[in-house]
Amino acid sequence: MDTQKSKRYEVRLAGEGGQGLLLAGLILAEAAAIYDGKNAAQTQSYGPEARGGASKSEVVISDEEIDYPKVINADLLLCLSQEACDKYYHNLKKNGILIVDTDHVKSVPTSRAYRLPITAIAQEVTGRRITANIVSLGLIAGLTGIVSRKALEAAVKARVPRGTEEINLQALAAGFEEAEKLKRQEE
C-alpha cells in the first residue's frame, strides 16, 4: 500500500482495557512525529472499567497540518476484541485495512481482513500476552510503511516500561516478520 499519496492517514486501535492500546497509540504517534518528522495527533477513550471495558486509541498521521485530530473514516482498523470489531468496522474506509486478532475476534464482517493470532504470537515470542499491542505495531508499520521501523523501534524503547525494552523490541520484530509473510502471500 502506498501511503505517500494520501496526505492524511487514520489509524484506529481498538480492543479492551488492559490490552495496551493506549500505549500503542502513543508509541505510533511519537514514532511518526518525533522520529519520522511527520505531523501526528493521538486521541484515546476507554469504557468505565479500566480492564475489560472497550477502549480505543486513534492516531492521525499526515505530512500536512492536521485540522481535526480524530479518526473520521479509518484507513486502518486493528481489532483485538470482538466488541471492537462489531463497533468500529462500519467506520473503516471502503479499501481500508482491517487487522483482527483471531484469538479474540471470531466473527469478521468481511473476507478482506488480515486474520492473525496476534496474542498467541506475542505469547510465543515474548512469553507475555500483553506484548500483543507491540506485535500489532510491527504488523501495522510492516504492512503500510506509515512509519519507519527505525522510528518505531526508538519510540518503543522510549515509551515501554523500564526493563521491558528488549522483549518489546522482540514483539515488534515479530510483527514486522508477520507483515512480511503476509506481503509475500499476496504476491
Side-chain angles (χ1 to χ4, degrees), residues 93-105:
K93 284 184 180 164
K94 185 179 180 193
N95 292 320
I97 297 171
L98 175 62
I99 301 171
V100 298
D101 182 351
T102 55
D103 293 322
H104 300 287
V105 181

Side-chain angles (χ1 to χ4, degrees), residues 12-15 77-81 84-86 88-89 98-101 105 118:
R12 178 175 284 141
L13 311 172
L77 172 62
L78 169 74
C79 295
L80 297 187
S81 75
C85 191
D86 296 344
Y88 298 117
Y89 173 73
L98 175 62
I99 301 171
V100 298
D101 182 351
V105 181
I118 298 169

Side-chain angles (χ1 to χ4, degrees):
M1 157 164 271
D2 183 13
T3 59
Q4 302 310 316
K5 291 178 188 167
S6 124
K7 301 285 185 217
R8 177 184 171 101
Y9 198 83
E10 299 181 354
V11 177
R12 178 175 284 141
L13 311 172
E16 296 176 346
Q19 289 181 311
L21 293 172
L22 305 184
L23 174 62
L26 286 171
I27 290 170
L28 183 59
E30 286 184 9
I34 294 172
Y35 301 103
D36 272 347
K38 298 177 181 179
N39 291 314
Q42 189 271 334
T43 57
Q44 59 198 31
S45 69
Y46 39 91
E49 312 87 13
R51 291 200 181 274
S55 75
K56 70 175 175 172
S57 182
E58 297 181 341
V59 181
V60 176
I61 298 172
S62 180
D63 293 326
E64 298 179 347
E65 196 171 305
I66 296 171
D67 57 358
Y68 185 69
K70 294 189 177 208
V71 167
I72 301 163
N73 289 305
D75 293 284
L76 184 140
L77 172 62
L78 169 74
C79 295
L80 297 187
S81 75
Q82 186 66 56
E83 180 185 358
C85 191
D86 296 344
K87 187 172 183 179
Y88 298 117
Y89 173 73
H90 67 278
N91 281 121
L92 181 65
K93 284 184 180 164
K94 185 179 180 193
N95 292 320
I97 297 171
L98 175 62
I99 301 171
V100 298
D101 182 351
T102 55
D103 293 322
H104 300 287
V105 181
K106 302 302 179 199
S107 175
V108 182
T110 179
S111 60
R112 294 183 60 244
Y114 292 108
R115 296 171 170 87
L116 296 106
I118 298 169
T119 302
I121 292 166
Q123 179 69 40
E124 183 182 319
V125 171
T126 68
R128 297 184 182 184
R129 297 170 60 85
I130 191 65
T131 59
N133 62 339
I134 307 300
V135 171
S136 298
L137 289 177
L139 261 169
I140 290 166
L143 288 171
T144 65
I146 157 177
V147 293
S148 70
R149 184 170 183 156
K150 185 177 175 183
L152 209 44
E153 288 170 347
V156 165
K157 284 190 247 180
R159 270 285 171 182
V160 298
R162 260 196 137 107
T164 68
E165 296 90 349
E166 196 51 48
I167 65 162
N168 278 290
L169 288 173
Q170 290 170 4
L172 187 66
F176 275 103
E177 193 176 304
E178 291 298 323
E180 283 306 310
K181 287 180 194 173
L182 291 169
K183 286 160 80 174
R184 281 194 300 273
Q185 287 173 6
E186 290 177 345
E187 290 176 355

